[in-house]
Amino acid sequence: MKKPEPSGDSERVSELIIDAERSSKNRDWKGADELFHQAILLDTSPASRIAYGVCLSHQERYFEAISIFTPILDGDNRQAIGVVCHNLAAIYREVGDLDLARRFQWRATLLLEDAGPEELLAMANDALANESYQTSESLLMAAIEMSGDVADEVRDGDLIATLGLVQSELTSPQEGIMTLFSAYRRHQQSRDLRGMGNDLLNMSALFGRLQRQRAERACLKRAIRCFEKASAMCSVKRANDLVDRHDRIQFFRQFDGRRN
């Protein structure tokens, strides 16, 4: 998710947003909502609304986030519209509407004058979802270079995670798992519980491809714990559904009709 540039119009608004984001990190959702609403009432620029939408997105309150973001699209602030398009693309990517995600991401790229690593990473993820692995790798390498990192010493957990997924397709699932574990550790260092959970979900999928069912299930259960701590209930449901599916498959694999 991409946050807006600070508007600088009101010191009070800045204080409210800082307090709201602090409340959100402490999982005081009600307090965060109240503070963001106060900021939006005082701030006529899109900045407070975008900050609130990003906060809602991190909580996976996607439909609320969309309703907060959408009015900005009718304005004339190109930079704000570009930021909103980038964030809407991230939301639609999360909920599985990949076509809409690509459309919003392309619009964001056209509007944002200072498009950087985050936008390139988003485009790399869109290419990955479209199974355009070589294109994804090229975009990802450009994002890494623009971030100031080098391929063997990337500091951003999200960049590392996408790198792991690309490696799993172009090199091997084993290499992808190792890189995803590095992404998990980076997200752990930054206390990004949703990032940790997503890394574990991706590792689980790769362990499944390698027929390592116990590791596959263990990653899913750990992902659920991460998502629960982050109050990311959409991801909790998705991970629980994957556990149920995994257990059903294992049950039928172990079923022996000759015992009847």
Side-chain angles (χ1 to χ4, degrees):
M1 293 292 173
K2 189 176 183 66
K3 295 186 180 182
E5 295 296 324
S7 64
D9 292 338
S10 168
E11 188 173 327
R12 175 58 180 156
V13 169
S14 297
E15 291 172 354
L16 286 169
I17 291 176
I18 290 170
D19 289 343
E21 291 179 338
R22 184 181 298 118
S23 295
S24 179
K25 287 180 181 178
N26 293 329
R27 294 195 285 279
D28 177 10
W29 313 127
K30 183 178 179 182
D33 287 347
E34 291 174 355
L35 290 163
F36 273 120
H37 287 150
Q38 291 179 47
I40 289 171
L41 286 173
L42 292 173
D43 187 9
T44 57
S45 77
S48 295
R49 186 174 284 273
I50 293 174
Y52 187 30
V54 170
C55 180
L56 290 170
S57 299
H58 287 163
Q59 299 169 47
E60 298 190 349
R61 294 162 63 182
Y62 295 129
F63 294 108
E64 292 175 75
I66 291 169
S67 71
I68 290 292
F69 283 136
T70 301
I72 298 171
L73 298 176
D74 296 325
D76 56 5
N77 186 325
R78 286 175 56 87
Q79 181 71 14
I81 294 171
V83 171
V84 165
C85 287
H86 176 84
N87 285 302
L88 287 172
I91 289 173
Y92 286 114
R93 202 175 289 117
E94 288 283 344
V95 301
D97 192 334
L98 301 179
D99 181 63
L100 203 51
R102 283 191 293 273
R103 290 169 185 265
F104 273 113
Q105 192 59 57
W106 181 246
R107 188 178 176 192
T109 304
L110 294 175
L111 288 168
L112 290 172
E113 297 177 359
D114 59 343
E118 195 170 341
E119 286 73 32
L120 287 172
L121 173 61
M123 294 172 70
N125 284 326
D126 287 337
L128 183 64
N130 200 40
E131 299 183 2
S132 301
Y133 304 124
Q134 299 286 353
T135 301
S136 180
E137 183 182 40
S138 297
L139 289 165
L140 184 60
M141 291 302 106
I144 290 171
E145 182 178 351
M146 191 176 290
S147 72
D149 293 342
V150 293
D152 57 350
E153 194 177 344
V154 184
R155 293 185 291 270
D156 186 285
D158 293 341
L159 288 171
I160 299 171
T162 299
L163 179 61
L165 294 174
V166 170
Q167 288 173 340
S168 72
E169 299 296 339
L170 296 181
T171 307
S172 69
Q174 291 90 337
E175 185 167 342
I177 288 169
M178 294 298 294
T179 303
L180 282 167
F181 183 70
S182 296
Y184 172 84
R185 296 298 296 271
R186 287 290 187 185
H187 285 135
Q188 188 177 46
Q189 289 170 8
S190 61
R191 299 182 181 179
D192 182 350
L193 289 164
R194 284 185 69 236
M196 293 164 61
N198 285 326
D199 295 332
L200 288 163
L201 281 188
N202 287 323
M203 283 191 279
S204 172
L206 295 182
F207 279 125
R209 283 169 57 180
L210 295 171
Q211 300 300 312
R212 294 178 59 180
Q213 282 80 24
R214 290 179 63 182
E216 178 186 8
R217 192 179 194 278
C219 284
L220 287 173
K221 297 299 286 186
R222 291 183 67 183
I224 290 169
R225 290 196 291 272
C226 289
F227 291 137
E228 286 175 341
K229 289 179 182 177
S231 298
M233 301 317 296
C234 291
S235 291
V236 169
K237 183 182 184 305
R238 179 160 52 105
N240 273 316
D241 289 344
L242 289 170
V243 171
D244 291 343
R245 178 177 178 275
H246 174 276
D247 290 348
R248 286 197 302 272
I249 290 172
Q250 294 310 305
F251 173 79
F252 285 115
R253 281 177 176 170
Q254 295 170 8
F255 178 74
D256 187 349
R258 291 172 298 180
R259 295 176 183 173
N260 292 335

